[in-house]
Amino acid sequence: MLEISYGAARAVIARTGAGLRSFEVDGVPYVETYDDEPPMGTGAVLVPWPNRTAGGTWVLDGEKQVLEITEPARGNAIHGLVRHVDWDVVEHTGSLVSLGTTIAAQPGWPVPLNVTISYALDENGLTVAHGVSNVGERSVPFGVGTHPYPRAGLSENDDCTLRLAASTVLPVDAEKMIPTGPPEDVEGTEYDFCAPRSLKGVKLDTAFGGCEPGPDGLVHHEVRGPEQAVELWADPDFKWVQVYTPDAFPGRGRAVAVEPMTCPPDALNSGVDLIVLAPGESWAGRWGVRPLA
């Protein structure tokens, strides 16, 4: 585990998977944490695709690619290739830690990528910066996501409201969790969180799209409790967000994952909002967590 701090802010990052284990200010937690192994994907870095790839198969340049089935119950490949990798520590100062790893060419993923992530604390909270570079000899599409569980300090989640920057929701097959059609407008539906809505009794494992940036050029999602609130912000490339509301998060009970993603579930097959890198090209994107008054 790698710890960073800045004033009253503290964060801990796991070297295995390079995931966010904790972030707190003045001892108040603003993401869910865990003791030993990360439950329910907590803090995971999802590269080179977030969410699911149907049947673990996709096609690159006319060639069928077959990924390992990592969600056997649904028959999908889920959450990319770096969750269980021990990342290299590139830099570790008092308030910043940077890690890197290489996704080697392998069955189902024929183009190698260099992947980096940095976590930095300052007066505005926690900023997470991703980098992906194509070190192969052909172009490749990819997506990036992460799996934080933001929490409004000491508030119980059923006492909180959720607001999303999302204008659409993606219909999926309830059994396999794979998209069944194009995104649908959320206005006037149970999926409309454009204005804050209570989380009490809300059951979601849902991909939302149409996440548009505000006047500051950033996408904003918010969980607000009676006394504390937390914002998850992201660069405009994070056009999608998966929201998951488990009832039995260890040591917590009700929790809410707000997962920024650059593309929707099964994007390797649909092509929707994939980022394509030619050989030698790189991409960078950021998101972050900050307490709100």
Side-chain angles (χ1 to χ4, degrees), residues 70-108:
T70 49
E71 189 184 37
R74 294 187 170 116
N76 301 316
I78 190 169
H79 288 342
L81 299 170
V82 298
R83 284 193 297 159
H84 307 296
V85 171
D86 285 338
W87 292 50
D88 298 319
V89 178
V90 178
E91 183 179 5
H92 187 191
T93 66
S95 60
L96 177 143
V97 61
S98 297
L99 303 101
T101 192
T102 297
I103 299 173
Q106 59 193 275

Side-chain angles (χ1 to χ4, degrees), residues 242-265:
Q242 182 85 12
V243 180
Y244 175 49
T245 56
D247 288 329
F249 191 95
R252 174 71 163 156
R254 286 275 287 164
V256 55
V258 180
E259 309 165 40
M261 307 185 298
T262 61
C263 60

